[in-house]
Amino acid sequence: MKQIDQMRRRAARYLDVEAVTIAPSTGVFSLSFDDIPVTAWTEAGPVLAEHGVKATYYVCGGLAGGVNMDRDQFRVEHLQALHAAGHEVGCHTFGHTSALRMDAEALRLSLDANAAWVAERLDGYRMTTFAWPFGDATVGAKRVVRERFALGRGVRDGINAGREDRALIRSIGLESRRLPGYDLEGLMAEAAAAKGWLTAYGHDVSDRPTDYGCTPDDLDRVLRLAKAAGLDVLPVSAAWAVVTHP
């Protein structure tokens, strides 16, 4: 099963690519949080507000009020508060299920459920960007995502510049298990010099994060570096509007 999953991930990376040109007039940085652990709002929200920036929160309606990866997940009032504060709400799958575990019809049903759940709680709000749970994509799932969303954000490292697959936008992980391996200052400088788009994703935010989370100081440093490099800091959907060209 593991080998088959790896083959499907690899196929999705190289097959059925719908390329778009990423060429903003100046470098752009976008920050996102997946699943929405409660601390991604209660701890990260004040850091974002201090910097005066907006992020994207990729929601799984089925996780609301529950526990995921040993961390309490958001409650509806948290989602409503971050939306009211001007942050983007984007789509994960409803139950945080990997695309590797669903056929196209099951994925459509999951996206329908998530869209309806969010719209009911955010006054008809419609999500326009998607992030792959676990970074898992398949060729068939990419087609479903392209039908519904402006883009699909993945988890493959790198800066988006030139021709990129709109269903698998690159992103670095603001995760304690990955952060030591990044030259963040260098990545920000490279994004500015290349006039590219650097996206990053995180999960929980606390002084004792999981392997998939980061500290408030990590988050503060990332935003300071982005600003110091002269990057525009925008949520994913707003960035998409300025970075893409036919």
Side-chain angles (χ1 to χ4, degrees):
M1 177 66 75
K2 185 175 181 180
Q3 185 175 12
I4 292 173
D5 285 349
Q6 289 174 341
M7 291 173 62
R8 295 176 74 195
R9 291 189 193 98
R10 185 173 179 83
R13 182 181 299 181
Y14 295 108
L15 300 179
D16 197 24
V17 172
E18 183 181 316
V20 294
T21 299
I22 305 295
S25 59
T26 189
V28 177
F29 176 68
S30 295
L31 176 65
S32 57
F33 296 94
D34 291 1
D35 319 339
I36 321 185
V38 64
T39 56
W41 175 240
T42 59
E43 298 295 325
V47 179
L48 299 174
E50 183 178 344
H51 283 274
V53 302
K54 307 301 182 187
T56 300
Y57 286 82
Y58 286 106
V59 63
C60 302
L63 294 183
V67 175
N68 184 47
M69 297 191 299
D70 297 323
R71 287 293 187 268
D72 291 339
Q73 300 299 288
F74 74 100
R75 298 192 299 272
V76 170
E77 57 264 36
H78 298 133
L79 183 71
Q80 292 170 334
L82 68 89
H83 173 62
H87 299 284
E88 178 190 4
V89 177
C91 189
H92 245 10
T93 55
F94 180 75
H96 198 245
T97 306
S98 164
L100 296 172
R101 307 278 83 85
M102 294 184 286
D103 61 17
E105 183 58 24
L107 175 58
R108 289 188 179 95
L109 290 173
S110 178
L111 298 177
D112 286 344
N114 215 33
W117 190 92
V118 168
E120 183 178 344
R121 289 155 181 81
L122 297 182
D123 297 323
Y125 180 86
R126 177 176 173 269
M127 297 173 288
T128 61
T129 69
F130 177 78
W132 299 94
F134 310 101
D136 293 340
T138 68
V139 171
K142 284 171 64 177
R143 294 173 187 145
V144 174
V145 165
R146 287 200 305 261
E147 291 170 1
R148 292 174 176 248
F149 302 102
L151 64 93
R153 197 224 70 215
V155 299
R156 188 157 63 107
D157 285 344
I159 295 166
N160 299 285
R163 301 294 279 174
E164 299 287 351
D165 185 354
R166 81 172 176 95
L168 275 176
I169 294 300
R170 299 170 187 266
S171 195
I172 64 171
L174 299 186
E175 302 175 313
S176 60
R177 62 181 183 148
R178 306 182 89 179
L179 277 169
Y182 291 127
D183 175 6
L184 290 174
E185 189 170 3
L187 281 167
M188 301 294 182
E190 184 181 349
K195 293 185 177 178
W197 182 28
L198 179 64
T199 81
Y201 65 91
H203 294 88
D204 55 288
V205 179
S206 74
D207 290 329
R208 298 181 65 184
T210 67
D211 287 348
Y212 302 95
C214 67
T215 69
D217 285 346
D218 290 330
L219 188 58
D220 175 71
R221 176 172 178 254
V222 165
L223 292 172
R224 285 190 287 103
L225 288 173
K227 289 181 173 181
L231 301 180
D232 287 342
V233 182
L234 299 170
V236 174
S237 60
W240 185 251
V242 302
V243 304
T244 52
H245 298 267

mmCIF file of all heavy atoms in Angstrom, residues 9-17 139 142 156 165 168:
data_model
loop_
_atom_site.group_PDB
_atom_site.id
_atom_site.type_symbol
_atom_site.label_atom_id
_atom_site.label_comp_id
_atom_site.label_asym_id
_atom_site.label_seq_id
_atom_site.Cartn_x
_atom_site.Cartn_y
_atom_site.Cartn_z
ATOM 1 N N ARG A 9 1.301 9.570 -5.662
ATOM 2 C CA ARG A 9 1.765 10.933 -5.391
ATOM 3 C C ARG A 9 2.700 11.412 -6.497
ATOM 4 O O ARG A 9 2.625 12.562 -6.944
ATOM 5 C CB ARG A 9 2.492 10.983 -4.042
ATOM 6 C CG ARG A 9 1.620 10.782 -2.815
ATOM 7 C CD ARG A 9 2.410 11.075 -1.556
ATOM 8 N NE ARG A 9 1.730 10.620 -0.351
ATOM 9 C CZ ARG A 9 1.982 9.471 0.267
ATOM 10 N NH1 ARG A 9 2.926 8.649 -0.196
ATOM 11 N NH2 ARG A 9 1.318 9.142 1.359
ATOM 12 N N ARG A 10 3.598 10.544 -6.899
ATOM 13 C CA ARG A 10 4.564 10.908 -7.937
ATOM 14 C C ARG A 10 3.857 11.187 -9.262
ATOM 15 O O ARG A 10 4.184 12.148 -9.969
ATOM 16 C CB ARG A 10 5.590 9.788 -8.106
ATOM 17 C CG ARG A 10 6.715 10.124 -9.079
ATOM 18 C CD ARG A 10 7.790 9.040 -9.082
ATOM 19 N NE ARG A 10 8.847 9.350 -10.018
ATOM 20 C CZ ARG A 10 9.865 10.149 -9.763
ATOM 21 N NH1 ARG A 10 9.962 10.734 -8.587
ATOM 22 N NH2 ARG A 10 10.801 10.377 -10.673
ATOM 23 N N ALA A 11 2.868 10.363 -9.599
ATOM 24 C CA ALA A 11 2.114 10.579 -10.829
ATOM 25 C C ALA A 11 1.411 11.931 -10.800
ATOM 26 O O ALA A 11 1.386 12.661 -11.799
ATOM 27 C CB ALA A 11 1.100 9.457 -11.025
ATOM 28 N N ALA A 12 0.840 12.285 -9.651
ATOM 29 C CA ALA A 12 0.137 13.558 -9.538
ATOM 30 C C ALA A 12 1.080 14.735 -9.727
ATOM 31 O O ALA A 12 0.677 15.789 -10.231
ATOM 32 C CB ALA A 12 -0.549 13.652 -8.180
ATOM 33 N N ARG A 13 2.329 14.553 -9.346
ATOM 34 C CA ARG A 13 3.301 15.647 -9.475
ATOM 35 C C ARG A 13 3.645 15.921 -10.935
ATOM 36 O O ARG A 13 3.855 17.080 -11.327
ATOM 37 C CB ARG A 13 4.570 15.310 -8.695
ATOM 38 C CG ARG A 13 5.617 16.416 -8.726
ATOM 39 C CD ARG A 13 6.864 16.042 -7.962
ATOM 40 N NE ARG A 13 6.598 15.787 -6.549
ATOM 41 C CZ ARG A 13 7.531 15.467 -5.664
ATOM 42 N NH1 ARG A 13 8.792 15.341 -6.062
ATOM 43 N NH2 ARG A 13 7.217 15.262 -4.408
ATOM 44 N N TYR A 14 3.666 14.887 -11.750
ATOM 45 C CA TYR A 14 4.186 15.043 -13.113
ATOM 46 C C TYR A 14 3.135 14.919 -14.213
ATOM 47 O O TYR A 14 3.398 15.301 -15.352
ATOM 48 C CB TYR A 14 5.288 14.008 -13.361
ATOM 49 C CG TYR A 14 6.495 14.221 -12.487
ATOM 50 C CD1 TYR A 14 6.787 13.356 -11.435
ATOM 51 C CD2 TYR A 14 7.343 15.315 -12.679
ATOM 52 C CE1 TYR A 14 7.883 13.556 -10.612
ATOM 53 C CE2 TYR A 14 8.437 15.523 -11.862
ATOM 54 C CZ TYR A 14 8.710 14.644 -10.832
ATOM 55 O OH TYR A 14 9.790 14.853 -10.019
ATOM 56 N N LEU A 15 1.956 14.381 -13.899
ATOM 57 C CA LEU A 15 0.940 14.148 -14.924
ATOM 58 C C LEU A 15 -0.236 15.118 -14.761
ATOM 59 O O LEU A 15 -0.513 15.596 -13.666
ATOM 60 C CB LEU A 15 0.429 12.714 -14.856
ATOM 61 C CG LEU A 15 1.474 11.605 -15.065
ATOM 62 C CD1 LEU A 15 0.818 10.236 -14.933
ATOM 63 C CD2 LEU A 15 2.169 11.749 -16.415
ATOM 64 N N ASP A 16 -0.910 15.381 -15.869
ATOM 65 C CA ASP A 16 -2.100 16.235 -15.885
ATOM 66 C C ASP A 16 -1.813 17.571 -15.208
ATOM 67 O O ASP A 16 -2.561 18.036 -14.342
ATOM 68 C CB ASP A 16 -3.273 15.526 -15.198
ATOM 69 C CG ASP A 16 -4.605 16.176 -15.538
ATOM 70 O OD1 ASP A 16 -4.689 16.829 -16.591
ATOM 71 O OD2 ASP A 16 -5.547 16.058 -14.739
ATOM 72 N N VAL A 17 -0.735 18.196 -15.635
ATOM 73 C CA VAL A 17 -0.327 19.490 -15.087
ATOM 74 C C VAL A 17 -1.009 20.613 -15.871
ATOM 75 O O VAL A 17 -0.924 20.662 -17.098
ATOM 76 C CB VAL A 17 1.202 19.664 -15.157
ATOM 77 C CG1 VAL A 17 1.605 21.084 -14.774
ATOM 78 C CG2 VAL A 17 1.885 18.643 -14.254
ATOM 79 N N VAL A 139 -3.931 12.145 -9.594
ATOM 80 C CA VAL A 139 -4.274 12.749 -10.879
ATOM 81 C C VAL A 139 -5.771 13.027 -10.947
ATOM 82 O O VAL A 139 -6.205 14.118 -11.346
ATOM 83 C CB VAL A 139 -3.831 11.828 -12.037
ATOM 84 C CG1 VAL A 139 -4.369 12.344 -13.375
ATOM 85 C CG2 VAL A 139 -2.299 11.750 -12.095
ATOM 86 N N LYS A 142 -6.829 15.930 -8.653
ATOM 87 C CA LYS A 142 -6.447 17.241 -9.177
ATOM 88 C C LYS A 142 -7.527 17.790 -10.102
ATOM 89 O O LYS A 142 -7.817 18.994 -10.086
ATOM 90 C CB LYS A 142 -5.114 17.146 -9.921
ATOM 91 C CG LYS A 142 -3.895 17.053 -9.021
ATOM 92 C CD LYS A 142 -2.633 16.737 -9.803
ATOM 93 C CE LYS A 142 -2.260 17.823 -10.764
ATOM 94 N NZ LYS A 142 -0.982 17.522 -11.462
ATOM 95 N N ARG A 156 5.078 20.578 -1.209
ATOM 96 C CA ARG A 156 6.417 20.397 -1.778
ATOM 97 C C ARG A 156 7.204 21.688 -1.641
ATOM 98 O O ARG A 156 6.733 22.758 -2.008
ATOM 99 C CB ARG A 156 6.320 19.988 -3.246
ATOM 100 C CG ARG A 156 7.662 19.592 -3.862
ATOM 101 C CD ARG A 156 7.469 18.692 -5.064
ATOM 102 N NE ARG A 156 6.748 19.345 -6.140
ATOM 103 C CZ ARG A 156 7.316 19.752 -7.282
ATOM 104 N NH1 ARG A 156 8.610 19.578 -7.470
ATOM 105 N NH2 ARG A 156 6.594 20.308 -8.219
ATOM 106 N N ASP A 165 2.242 24.292 -11.523
ATOM 107 C CA ASP A 165 0.988 23.541 -11.585
ATOM 108 C C ASP A 165 -0.018 24.174 -10.629
ATOM 109 O O ASP A 165 0.191 24.178 -9.419
ATOM 110 C CB ASP A 165 1.251 22.085 -11.198
ATOM 111 C CG ASP A 165 0.040 21.187 -11.350
ATOM 112 O OD1 ASP A 165 -1.060 21.697 -11.643
ATOM 113 O OD2 ASP A 165 0.200 19.965 -11.176
ATOM 114 N N LEU A 168 -1.049 22.167 -7.616
ATOM 115 C CA LEU A 168 -0.030 21.725 -6.663
ATOM 116 C C LEU A 168 0.975 22.847 -6.392
ATOM 117 O O LEU A 168 2.168 22.717 -6.682
ATOM 118 C CB LEU A 168 0.699 20.486 -7.178
ATOM 119 C CG LEU A 168 0.058 19.125 -6.897
ATOM 120 C CD1 LEU A 168 0.860 18.016 -7.568
ATOM 121 C CD2 LEU A 168 -0.048 18.864 -5.403
#
